[in-house]
Structures are given as structure tokens and as C-alpha cells.
Amino acid sequence: MRQRNTFKTNTNAHFLSFILMFTCLMLSSCVNTPLQPISSEEEQQIKAELNDRSFRQFDPSKDADKRKGVIIDFFDGVSLWAQYAEGMYALNEWEISADDYRIEKAGSEYRLYFQTPHSTQTLPTQCENCIETAGISISIQNLFDSEKIRFKLNINNDNFPRPFPIFESWTKFNEDEYFN
């Protein structure tokens, strides 16, 4: 009888250890993986994939009376253009651009950081470098799958012209088609 209780206790302890390890494994997979720099070869591959492409999204839609729009393009480096419009008129419009960008990776997310960014505000008044660019990055998921590619804008400050179209969750942006 005593042997049976010892066996049962050991079995319960092993089962409990297994459950605890499984729980820790599941929780660690849900935690954000820290961003890491990528190799120069991977950076070249990513930049080649994005080169000469443009993506746009509107909130709630491009035909809404009051709408926010964002365009991310990779024609000459990287550009993030934003606009707020009501009816036929744009009320706020600005752009942040850079000739180059650096890339970090965490899991399936690539995060792009503007290198020496430049900002331009067109509306409501024109100005150069009047928009705070610190704390801005663009996240891309499913980069190599045109059907599943998603974007997210990461903003770590509140110095943006209002109303800013923020896409803080993974959002499908429509890719523009250009023909030579």
C-alpha cells in the first residue's frame, strides 16, 4: 500500500511538472519577441521586395465624408504620407520621408525605422521639418505574400497633427498598381 501511494505521488508530481512546463512554454510563445537587427543580405532582400511599391489605406473608407488616409511608399527610400479630409477637401496633410531605412525583425514582423527623416506639412499651413519624427516606425507582417501582407504604424509620441490616421493593429493596405 505504501509503494502504491509513492507511485501515485510521483505520477502526480510528474504530471504537474509537465503541465507547468507546458504552461510556461505557451506563455513564452505569446510574449513579444524582442526586435533584433538583421543581416545585410536579409536587408538587401527585404529592400528589393519593397522597392518601387506603394500601399494605401483609408479609415473608414476612401469614399467616406470624413476620412483619414495613409500611403506608405518605397520609391526613393521610404515615405509615410497622411491626410485628413472632409468631403472634397483635405484639411490636414503631411509626409515623413527618408532616403533610407534600417530594419529589425521579431518573429514574422519586420520593423522599419526612418534614417535621417524629413517631414513636410502641406495643410493646414506649409512648413518643413515641423512634425516630430522621433518614435515612428512601420511594421510589416507577411512581407513576401502579396495577399497576406499587413502593416501597422508604431507611434511613440503625441506630437502629430490631428486627426492622425493611426493603424495600430495589423491592417491590410491596398497595393497601388503602376504600369510603365
Side-chain angles (χ1 to χ4, degrees):
M1 179 106 167
R2 189 173 198 140
Q3 271 184 324
R4 188 176 241 184
N5 284 343
T6 303
F7 177 76
K8 189 174 183 180
T9 302
N10 286 342
T11 303
N12 287 341
H14 284 60
F15 181 71
L16 186 58
S17 295
F18 174 76
I19 294 296
L20 192 59
M21 286 189 310
F22 181 74
T23 302
C24 289
L25 179 63
M26 293 305 292
L27 287 174
S28 68
S29 69
C30 296
V31 173
N32 289 339
T33 308
L35 291 158
Q36 300 291 320
I38 60 173
S39 69
S40 59
E41 293 83 19
E42 189 173 10
E43 179 179 320
Q44 288 176 354
Q45 181 185 15
I46 292 164
K47 288 182 176 182
E49 180 71 20
L50 291 170
N51 190 42
D52 291 334
R53 292 176 78 182
S54 178
F55 304 88
R56 67 179 60 224
Q57 184 54 275
F58 294 90
D59 180 30
S61 74
K62 71 178 185 170
D63 299 320
D65 183 50
K66 294 180 180 181
R67 64 197 170 281
K68 303 170 188 178
V70 168
I71 298 175
I72 302 169
D73 78 48
F74 299 93
F75 293 116
D76 294 312
V78 61
S79 173
L80 172 65
W81 174 91
Q83 181 188 77
Y84 174 73
E86 292 183 8
M88 299 292 292
Y89 302 100
L91 302 178
N92 294 68
E93 184 174 294
W94 53 267
E95 179 178 22
I96 297 170
S97 60
D99 292 335
D100 200 7
Y101 53 94
R102 69 181 173 81
I103 306 167
E104 292 182 348
K105 183 179 180 181
S108 65
E109 174 187 354
Y110 292 97
R111 189 168 294 182
L112 285 52
Y113 300 91
F114 294 82
Q115 298 276 69
T116 317
H118 172 79
S119 69
T120 304
Q121 180 174 291
T122 309
L123 293 170
T125 57
Q126 286 191 315
C127 60
E128 296 289 319
N129 290 318
C130 56
I131 297 168
E132 178 60 47
T133 59
I136 298 175
S137 62
I138 301 168
S139 291
I140 305 174
Q141 199 176 52
N142 303 314
L143 173 62
F144 299 102
D145 187 339
S146 292
E147 297 297 317
K148 294 181 180 178
I149 191 169
R150 300 285 186 270
F151 293 87
K152 180 171 67 167
L153 302 179
N154 310 296
I155 296 50
N156 294 334
N157 69 56
D158 288 325
N159 297 330
F160 289 101
R162 296 291 182 230
F164 176 68
I166 299 174
F167 293 92
E168 293 177 309
S169 59
W170 292 109
T171 305
K172 171 78 172 152
F173 277 52
N174 297 315
E175 184 167 3
D176 294 323
E177 292 186 29
Y178 293 94
F179 301 98
N180 292 335

